[in-house]
Amino acid sequence: MSDSTILGPHSLLGGYCDDARWGLAVVRATVLEAAHPQIGAALVDNSSFVAHPWRRMRNTLLSTRRVLDADTGVRDREVARLNRLHARISGQDEQGRPYDALDAGARAWVVATLFESTLTLTRMSGESLDGPTMERLYAEFRAFLALFEGNADQLPATLNEFWPYYDDMIAQGLENTEAIRIILFRLFAHVPPPPLLRSQPAVWALGRAVAGPVAAAIIVASLPESLRRKAGLADLPGAETLSRGVHLGSGVATRVLPRSWTRTDTVLNILDSGALTGLRRRTSQAALLFRLLANDRDEAPAARSADRFFAEVLDQTGDGRLSWPDLAAMAREIATRLDLDEPAERRLYDAYADWWRELLAALDTDEDGHISRQEYAAHATTLAGPALIRVAEVLFDVADADGDQSIDAAEHRALFRTAFARDLDGTEPGRYSRGDFVREFLAFMSGQRPSTSYDALLAEA
């Protein structure tokens, strides 16, 4: 069954999406996806998950909830947006093999890994699903795939047929890809702090040094043994026991603690603002917004060096160089936040594409198709050219939802919000004129002046 009417916020899948421990299943599924040669290559070349994992997590949750929304209009709009996003991702891996984010088989594997990882999560958490419940959950995942593909033919029709397909993919369809190593070792070892701990880098670095390898070991121990052997992932002593303990503990917490404590958005909001600082932050938000809208420079953060600006803002994919996927990631973040329709989204991507061509012409001195840190540092003052001005103009147009030629408080928080569910409260004074908005954007994107707003949009992890 692939009838999309079985989906919605009250579906089994919707329940898992609202459960914070589902993050374990999503990370595990991402490793399985990364072992697929097409998906792994697309992740390495285009994804911002290494440099901006917390932002990526929030956006994934937001997108999934839109797809599961009870309003079919919201659902269809999000599916169309994601299909447009994936249509822009294609290329070749290091062996010259093509990849395409719209490949039906690869997309089916993404859904398959999420389904199987969800079952693994429930099993390792000390829960059991009866046969009809598993069948229902599988039908929901097939319906999820059908929303994007028009059908679910790439996944077997029944749960009994799914397991031979899954085993065959593990044995024949997966490889030891670079993306696996990046997720398990680079991401866990270098994940930036969540907003809650951003002001405590030493504390985060110390905790990450211990927790990073442990988190990687927990995920590795939960993977199929055949994939661990294929990818050369070591079986660390005690890792399987630790993994079972963490999963079991998460299951116990879910059953014992109040439901509101274990919701995904609750955990994300704590990571974003901190339970202890949330009240203070809320009371200061109106004043902060007023300063932003009033173009107040007095409390601006210290300016970044060219190297830091390159790493924190321009290099969205975290691969150490500036290329088209970095600018596409910026456009994608804006389009996601504003939930743009196709014409507005196309204007935004086209403007960023023009800026990329302008950057190549100005900065790519060795003509290798990307811009190194050294090339950027040597010519950084040339960034604010006509194409970047055009990006600023288009960004203003798509953010100005009511077309009144100013950015009011509601439009400001739609673009610059920093958390999944938290918005600014009340009605704040002040507006951005077109000129102020464009000047702010140009000053930030050319590295001339920092901006709290644009940091939240493009720089924060």
Side-chain angles (χ1 to χ4, degrees):
M1 178 170 58
S2 59
D3 183 359
S4 63
T5 59
I6 68 174
L7 296 175
H10 302 297
S11 63
L12 294 173
L13 179 53
Y16 282 111
C17 182
D18 283 339
D19 189 338
R21 66 193 171 122
W22 199 49
L24 290 168
V26 171
V27 174
R28 179 183 183 275
T30 302
V31 176
L32 288 166
E33 294 161 22
H36 188 290
Q38 283 210 47
I39 300 171
L43 286 173
V44 169
D45 289 347
N46 298 275
S47 180
S48 60
F49 72 95
V50 172
H52 303 279
W54 304 107
R55 187 178 78 191
R56 169 70 181 272
M57 182 167 58
R58 289 193 298 266
N59 286 347
T60 298
L61 176 60
L62 171 62
S63 182
T64 303
R65 285 186 169 174
R66 285 175 178 172
V67 174
L68 297 177
D69 197 283
D71 185 338
T72 57
V74 173
R75 178 187 304 177
D76 293 345
R77 182 183 179 91
E78 182 65 9
V79 168
R81 188 189 69 82
L82 289 174
N83 278 339
R84 293 195 304 270
L85 183 158
H86 290 136
R88 294 185 172 94
I89 298 176
S90 61
Q92 291 185 338
D93 66 13
E94 292 184 347
Q95 301 178 42
R97 298 175 298 183
Y99 65 81
D100 185 342
L102 288 180
D103 180 82
R107 297 176 95 181
W109 179 241
V110 170
V111 175
T113 62
L114 283 170
F115 168 70
E116 189 275 339
S117 292
T118 301
L119 292 186
T120 298
L121 171 70
T122 57
R123 173 175 52 80
M124 295 185 70
S125 298
E127 303 172 19
S128 61
L129 301 180
D130 58 29
T133 302
M134 282 196 291
E135 293 279 3
R136 170 78 179 188
L137 184 61
Y138 183 60
E140 290 181 4
F141 273 97
R142 291 189 82 244
F144 191 87
L145 176 62
L147 285 175
F148 295 90
E149 289 292 312
N151 61 70
D153 295 348
Q154 290 291 326
L155 282 179
T158 68
L159 183 57
N160 285 338
E161 295 172 303
F162 171 80
W163 297 113
Y165 154 82
Y166 179 81
D167 291 340
D168 184 66
M169 281 295 299
I170 295 291
Q172 305 294 332
L174 305 187
E175 299 178 0
N176 181 12
T177 65
E178 178 187 0
I180 294 178
R181 304 284 170 180
I182 289 176
I183 294 170
L184 290 175
F185 304 115
R186 181 178 168 190
L187 176 58
F188 282 122
H190 302 287
V191 61
L196 171 60
L197 294 175
R198 191 167 293 132
S199 62
Q200 303 292 331
V203 173
W204 176 255
L206 179 61
R208 182 180 59 192
V210 176
V214 172
I218 290 170
I219 297 301
V220 168
S222 72
L223 294 172
E225 183 180 355
S226 57
L227 177 60
R228 298 203 303 265
R229 290 198 303 267
K230 180 180 294 188
L233 300 173
D235 293 324
L236 299 179
E240 289 196 18
T241 301
L242 175 62
S243 185
R244 291 194 198 99
V246 168
H247 283 84
L248 187 59
S250 71
V252 171
T254 299
R255 293 188 288 273
V256 172
L257 295 176
R259 178 72 181 90
S260 60
W261 293 15
T262 60
R263 287 178 57 87
T264 307
D265 51 359
T266 300
V267 174
L268 288 180
N269 283 335
I270 291 173
L271 289 174
D272 183 83
S273 61
L276 298 178
T277 61
L279 179 62
R280 177 185 58 79
R281 185 176 178 121
R282 281 195 296 273
T283 59
S284 66
Q285 281 173 333
L288 173 61
L289 180 63
F290 180 80
R291 290 197 301 271
L292 292 173
L293 296 181
N295 213 20
D296 186 352
R297 316 298 189 198
D298 293 339
E299 297 187 29
R304 291 180 176 88
S305 66
D307 190 67
R308 277 191 61 203
F309 183 80
F310 185 96
E312 295 178 6
V313 178
L314 296 178
D315 183 15
Q316 291 282 306
T317 60
D319 63 358
R321 62 186 186 179
L322 178 61
S323 56
W324 165 243
D326 297 302
L327 271 63
M330 296 182 194
R332 185 165 64 243
E333 176 66 16
I334 294 166
T336 299
R337 290 188 177 218
L338 297 180
D339 191 20
L340 298 182
D341 58 17
E342 193 277 334
E345 183 184 273
R346 185 174 63 250
R347 286 185 63 205
L348 185 67
Y349 272 91
D350 287 348
Y352 269 98
D354 288 342
W355 186 38
W356 172 238
R357 286 188 285 269
E358 183 178 84
L359 288 173
L360 277 180
L363 305 183
D364 184 20
T365 54
D366 60 6
E367 299 183 349
D368 63 354
H370 62 260
I371 297 166
S372 67
R373 291 193 187 204
Q374 293 74 22
E375 288 172 327
Y376 165 73
H379 304 87
T381 56
T382 64
L383 252 66
L388 182 58
I389 296 173
R390 175 60 179 159
V391 171
E393 293 279 357
V394 172
L395 178 55
F396 178 88
D397 290 340
V398 298
D400 180 20
D402 58 12
D404 68 350
Q405 295 302 301
S406 67
I407 302 297
D408 61 24
E411 292 163 342
H412 183 277
R413 65 175 173 259
L415 180 60
F416 295 119
R417 68 184 185 274
T418 59
F420 174 74
R422 192 186 70 251
D423 274 334
L424 302 181
D425 298 322
T427 302
E428 296 83 2
R431 289 175 178 268
Y432 262 140
S433 68
R434 177 182 288 271
D436 287 341
F437 186 93
V438 169
R439 282 192 295 273
E440 178 89 5
F441 180 81
L442 292 177
F444 178 78
M445 289 307 303
S446 61
Q448 298 173 14
R449 186 172 57 79
S451 163
T452 304
S453 296
Y454 286 105
D455 269 349
L457 178 64
L458 297 174
E460 294 181 359

